[in-house]
Amino acid sequence: MSTKPKTEDTSDPLFRKLDCYSLPVENLDSAIAFYGALGHQLIWREGSHAAGLRLPDSDAEIVLHTDNRPIETYFLVESVPKAIGRITQAGGKLEIGPFEIQVGLYALLRDPWNNPLVTLDFSKGTLETDSDGNVIGNREPD
């Protein structure tokens, strides 16, 4: 007899990947310099508001931001509205959202143990940058 816990739907995992680890900073230029000194290359920048830094063994990013938001780990999902439905149906709860962000939709949910489940989708497409890494728009979604 197997001791593995049963799951409802193992054929279609909800979370596609970890998209980013988002950190609040007071000064974006200073934070970019600090993480640059640790070897993390700037991928994109959105004015003095936010920047993405490369994690060399992953396509996930360190995102630095000057918003009044907490440290968050973002899960990429195919669709935030569908993720909200699945998470709440499974016993989780919606805390914030969904609302639009530059790349798509964002929502903060909680699992039954009150752990944060930050979700985003790329329904508007990924960021497009110029040769200096400045955000100039979005690429068409797949």
Side-chain angles (χ1 to χ4, degrees):
M1 180 188 253
S2 174
T3 58
K4 288 184 180 180
K6 289 189 172 191
T7 58
E8 290 296 315
D9 181 9
T10 57
S11 64
D12 188 22
L14 176 65
F15 303 118
R16 308 314 305 164
K17 68 174 187 165
L18 292 178
D19 181 69
C20 72
Y21 186 58
S22 181
L23 300 170
V25 298
E26 290 180 18
N27 181 288
L28 192 60
D29 291 325
S30 296
I32 290 169
F34 173 79
Y35 285 97
L38 299 179
H40 296 282
Q41 177 186 17
L42 181 68
I43 303 169
W44 58 266
R45 181 179 182 140
E46 193 172 7
S48 61
H49 165 72
L53 305 175
R54 188 169 318 285
L55 291 169
D57 293 338
S58 171
D59 64 353
E61 304 168 348
I62 298 171
V63 173
L64 308 172
H65 63 83
T66 57
D67 299 349
N68 187 20
R69 293 184 286 127
I71 296 169
E72 295 179 313
T73 302
Y74 286 64
F75 287 103
L76 179 66
V77 296
E78 288 183 24
S79 162
V80 167
K82 288 180 183 176
I84 291 169
R86 285 186 63 184
I87 292 168
T88 57
Q89 184 177 34
K93 63 183 178 193
L94 177 64
E95 186 168 311
I96 299 171
F99 60 82
E100 290 189 10
I101 58 175
Q102 178 142 358
V103 295
L105 291 173
Y106 164 103
L108 170 59
L109 297 101
R110 298 271 176 186
D111 71 12
W113 302 273
N114 207 34
N115 295 304
L117 300 173
V118 179
T119 61
L120 81 151
D121 65 30
F122 290 156
S123 55
K124 292 182 182 179
T126 57
L127 297 178
E128 184 174 2
T129 60
D130 64 17
S131 61
D132 293 324
N134 296 303
V135 174
I136 57 172
N138 290 53
R139 291 182 188 91
E140 287 294 318
D142 292 334

